Amino acid sequence: MTCGIKDMKILFIILLCLIVVLVRRVDSETYYEIRKKWEFISPMLIDSIYIKDLNSDDLKEILIVGKNRNPHLSDGLYLLDWNGNLTWKKEIDNILDVYVSDIDYDQEFEIIVSCGKVRGCTHWGKIYIINLDGDTIFEYPKMGAGYNIPLLDIVTIDLDNNNREEIIGSVGKGVYAMDDMYGKFMWKWNAEKHIDTIIIKDVEGDGIPDVVAIAPNEIFIIAYNGTEKWSYMAPNEIIDVEIGSIHQIGKNDIVIALPSEIRILDVSGNLWRRIEINSTINSILIKDINDDSHNEIVVGTENGLYIFYMDKNETILYRTPSPINKFIVSKLESGGEKYVIFSIDDGIYAINSIGIAKYIYSPSKIGLQDEICDLYINDIDSNGVSDILIISRNKISVIEPAYMDIEEINEKKSRANQYYMRAYFYLNLEDYENAIRFAKMALSLYEEINYTEGMEKCNELIRKINIKTVTTTSTTTTSTTTSTTKPEEEKYENSFIGMIILILIVIFIIYKDYKRKSREDERISYKFGEG
């Protein structure tokens, strides 16, 4: 008899463990919600944005460069404050590029706008300098003085160390430098190839900036005075170029991304190393991800993210189901570790230095149905926590992440689900005191991870418990309550009740079998006694 009861207890414990395992399997999704702080819908297509503290108040402003869908209408600039409110807007015809800098070193930023058109042999271009109030304080050429060659890609830099920045721009087959009085070009460098992009960088580390001009299959290093230092011809198309220290701390290298290969040049243009990649390369970055004073090469490809630790000859690959076109490396909170952050079809990923996805955000859960065109990470309100700015075709959405890793999120979600089911169990037993206690415990955990669906179903359950507490249960009330149960709640409620019924049936069968065997044992003992 004692042995039979012990066996039943063991079976009952096993069945309870099974309940826990099944509960923990429910809602094991790794995505979790994040809070949308604000969004701004642009009347025009968003071409680019600039994030800077323009007025030195420790709060960031966002400058939007908008392109009109109708090529016959003006483009525009939109300046937002840190909270997404429109400060001013300005219409400008045919914007080609925009740059933000304190060009005269007076502690106030200016907005430099290049605009114009190139049609065959006919071209026109203008440069506008705009202050923080949206007023034009300078234009070149002056109104009525004709037109200039359009600058397609512009940057500003103080080339001659006189505390005023010159404007450098590509002009199709060449690079021109406008003097710091913005009245004429101080030098012109011409090439036989179209220049797509220019980068300003002190390549040799001598304190003097150089101009790096990038053509479709060649790069040129141009000195501050417009003379060409050297060039490197690539065997095929140049996808991306980064400059930074790779094989020797303190000395720069030029890293060139080709379709399926990385080439690393020294500051004189000599090929130092080649890295072949078994995928199509989309973009590269040079960053010290693990803060060990050695830069890594991070590569976004068609099948995933590669991190090359050049000092250790190690490579980490994080595979993705979709191409990675652009990514950024940033800390998500002050004092935290760095992450490689990128977007693909199913969400926004943050990968740590050893290739583990620590945070995964699902855009659809915060109403981001549009295709993500670009990402920015910036603490725009200076609260010590970085915001994620998601750029779609005509919308900026600013979201605030929930900073817990996936394991912690899943663990809290699992515990909350258990509390939620126990609350329903006690509600069905009409033990309203325990029902409300467990429902509130579940709600508290859902709130910690900002899980909206969980909070909604808990609030609905608490409402039901309160109705049961203050009213007399009747068939009509039960029917009404059942009709308002959400599909998500029904999934948990029905599965839980089904498991309980199944377990009770199993226990009943075991008990009946035990009683039958006990009676047989008694009859056998009686027969032995008669003998």
Side-chain angles (χ1 to χ4, degrees):
M1 175 75 74
T2 305
C3 182
I5 293 173
K6 186 176 181 181
D7 290 340
M8 285 184 64
K9 287 181 178 179
I10 292 171
L11 285 170
F12 187 72
I13 291 170
I14 292 171
L15 290 169
L16 285 178
C17 291
L18 179 62
I19 293 176
V20 174
V21 170
L22 290 171
V23 167
R24 291 185 68 88
R25 286 179 61 88
V26 175
D27 200 15
S28 61
E29 183 183 36
T30 57
Y31 298 125
Y32 59 95
E33 295 229 343
I34 46 184
R35 184 172 69 89
K36 185 193 294 183
K37 298 177 74 171
W38 57 264
E39 71 178 19
F40 176 81
I41 299 176
S42 169
M44 302 182 185
L45 299 177
I46 297 175
D47 182 69
S48 56
I49 71 168
Y50 296 83
I51 307 168
K52 281 184 180 292
D53 178 12
L54 297 176
N55 53 9
S56 302
D57 62 354
D58 291 329
L59 300 171
K60 307 291 176 59
E61 284 74 38
I62 299 101
L63 177 68
I64 302 173
V65 181
K67 299 292 288 183
N68 206 306
R69 292 178 174 86
N70 187 336
H72 302 292
L73 298 179
S74 297
D75 300 325
L77 300 178
Y78 300 86
L79 186 67
L80 310 182
D81 67 11
W82 65 275
N83 208 26
N85 301 307
L86 180 64
T87 302
W88 55 258
K89 62 181 180 180
K90 188 178 185 71
E91 291 188 353
I92 300 176
D93 291 338
N94 303 110
I95 294 176
L96 296 173
D97 200 15
V98 174
Y99 198 79
V100 178
S101 182
D102 179 9
I103 58 174
D104 52 4
Y105 291 36
D106 63 351
Q107 308 301 314
E108 292 186 5
F109 284 95
E110 287 80 31
I111 301 166
I112 301 92
V113 182
S114 174
C115 60
K117 279 186 178 181
V118 177
R119 288 182 179 174
C121 297
T122 304
H123 56 257
W124 68 269
K126 281 186 97 57
I127 295 290
Y128 293 101
I129 299 178
I130 299 168
N131 65 17
L132 297 184
D133 296 321
D135 302 321
T136 300
I137 59 177
F138 183 86
E139 66 178 282
Y140 175 83
K142 300 289 186 183
M143 186 170 293
Y147 293 101
N148 183 46
I149 297 173
L151 301 181
L152 307 178
D153 185 28
I154 60 172
V155 294
T156 66
I157 187 72
D158 183 10
L159 292 173
D160 50 10
N161 291 318
N162 68 343
N163 294 329
R164 286 186 64 88
E165 294 185 346
E166 288 77 28
I167 301 174
I168 318 294
S170 64
V171 293
K173 293 183 177 181
V175 176
Y176 288 8
M178 180 179 286
D179 69 7
D180 53 29
M181 299 308 293
Y182 316 119
K184 63 180 181 179
F185 289 109
M186 59 189 293
W187 54 257
K188 298 178 181 180
W189 174 84
N190 294 299
E192 297 298 322
K193 298 181 178 180
H194 188 278
I195 303 301
D196 297 319
T197 308
I198 59 173
I199 301 170
I200 301 295
K201 188 79 174 182
D202 179 9
V203 175
E204 297 176 349
D206 56 3
I208 302 174
D210 300 294
V211 180
V212 182
I214 305 169
N217 68 335
E218 191 170 3
I219 66 168
F220 304 87
I221 308 299
I222 306 165
Y224 73 96
N225 59 3
T227 59
E228 183 181 321
K229 290 185 172 182
W230 55 265
S231 65
Y232 179 83
M233 176 83 73
N236 43 30
E237 180 188 5
I238 294 176
I239 305 299
D240 203 357
V241 174
E242 280 281 302
I243 301 171
S245 173
I246 296 295
H247 76 282
Q248 187 174 350
I249 295 176
K251 289 192 175 182
N252 283 327
D253 300 279
I254 297 91
V255 181
I256 303 172
L258 304 178
S260 58
E261 179 186 9
I262 301 292
R263 294 197 171 196
I264 305 175
L265 313 180
D266 64 18
V267 294
S268 299
N270 302 309
L271 181 61
W272 172 66
R273 185 166 177 179
R274 295 169 55 183
I275 304 171
E276 293 186 355
I277 296 179
N278 190 26
S279 183
T280 301
I281 297 172
N282 295 321
S283 57
I284 60 171
L285 271 181
I286 296 176
K287 291 288 183 181
D288 179 12
I289 299 178
N290 55 359
D291 291 324
D292 65 349
S293 300
H294 292 275
N295 284 328
E296 285 74 49
I297 301 176
V298 188
V299 184
T301 73
E302 291 293 304
N303 69 350
L305 185 83
Y306 290 78
I307 304 176
F308 292 96
Y309 288 87
M310 305 302 293
D311 58 315
K312 304 174 184 176
N313 286 321
E314 294 179 359
T315 303
I316 290 173
L317 169 60
Y318 183 87
R319 294 191 179 277
T320 57
S322 303
I324 299 175
N325 294 314
K326 184 178 178 181
F327 54 88
I328 48 182
V329 175
S330 176
K331 292 182 179 181
L332 291 175
E333 53 188 334
S334 180
E337 63 179 323
K338 290 178 183 174
Y339 296 92
V340 183
I341 302 157
F342 59 88
S343 67
I344 55 176
D345 295 340
D346 63 342
I348 303 169
Y349 287 67
I351 309 300
N352 69 5
S353 61
I354 58 174
I356 296 176
K358 298 294 287 185
Y359 309 110
I360 302 179
Y361 311 127
S362 175
S364 62
K365 289 192 173 183
I366 53 174
L368 299 178
Q369 306 300 334
D370 303 319
E371 179 185 357
I372 297 175
C373 300
D374 212 343
L375 282 178
Y376 293 84
I377 303 292
N378 203 299
D379 181 9
I380 58 176
D381 52 6
S382 298
N383 66 349
V385 178
S386 294
D387 301 294
I388 300 178
L389 289 81
I390 301 175
I391 315 301
S392 58
R393 286 172 57 83
N394 70 326
K395 185 192 298 183
I396 295 179
S397 301
V398 178
I399 59 177
E400 184 177 71
Y403 291 112
M404 288 178 283
D405 62 30
I406 293 170
E407 290 79 9
E408 185 178 356
I409 291 289
N410 286 341
E411 191 275 330
K412 289 194 174 185
K413 214 184 244 187
S414 177
R415 278 198 291 136
N417 290 338
Q418 292 178 52
Y419 293 150
Y420 175 80
M421 291 181 180
R422 291 179 72 176
Y424 248 114
F425 177 69
Y426 283 116
L427 174 62
N428 291 330
L429 292 179
E430 298 184 3
D431 184 348
Y432 304 128
E433 182 179 349
N434 278 319
I436 197 71
R437 180 166 68 90
F438 282 105
K440 288 181 177 180
M441 289 168 65
L443 179 61
S444 176
L445 286 173
Y446 286 137
E447 287 174 344
E448 282 185 34
I449 60 175
N450 200 24
Y451 184 50
T452 304
E453 292 176 14
M455 290 187 281
E456 287 176 353
K457 70 183 183 183
C458 266
N459 285 323
E460 178 65 18
L461 178 58
I462 290 171
R463 185 187 68 81
K464 289 182 182 181
I465 296 169
N466 289 333
I467 290 174
K468 292 283 188 178
T469 304
V470 298
T471 61
T472 304
T473 304
S474 66
T475 305
T476 304
T477 306
T478 304
S479 174
T480 303
T481 305
T482 304
S483 66
T484 57
T485 302
K486 296 184 179 181
E488 183 73 11
E489 294 172 2
E490 289 174 357
K491 179 182 76 172
Y492 287 105
E493 182 179 5
N494 294 340
S495 62
F496 183 73
I497 293 173
M499 284 190 293
I500 294 297
I501 292 172
L502 179 62
I503 290 168
L504 291 175
I505 291 171
V506 172
I507 292 174
F508 178 75
I509 292 171
I510 293 172
Y511 177 74
K512 292 293 288 184
D513 185 61
Y514 164 74
K515 292 294 290 182
R516 181 181 59 78
K517 288 182 178 180
S518 296
R519 285 194 295 270
E520 288 178 357
D521 290 342
E522 288 176 1
R523 285 196 296 270
I524 292 169
S525 298
Y526 178 73
K527 290 178 180 179
F528 278 121
E530 283 183 333

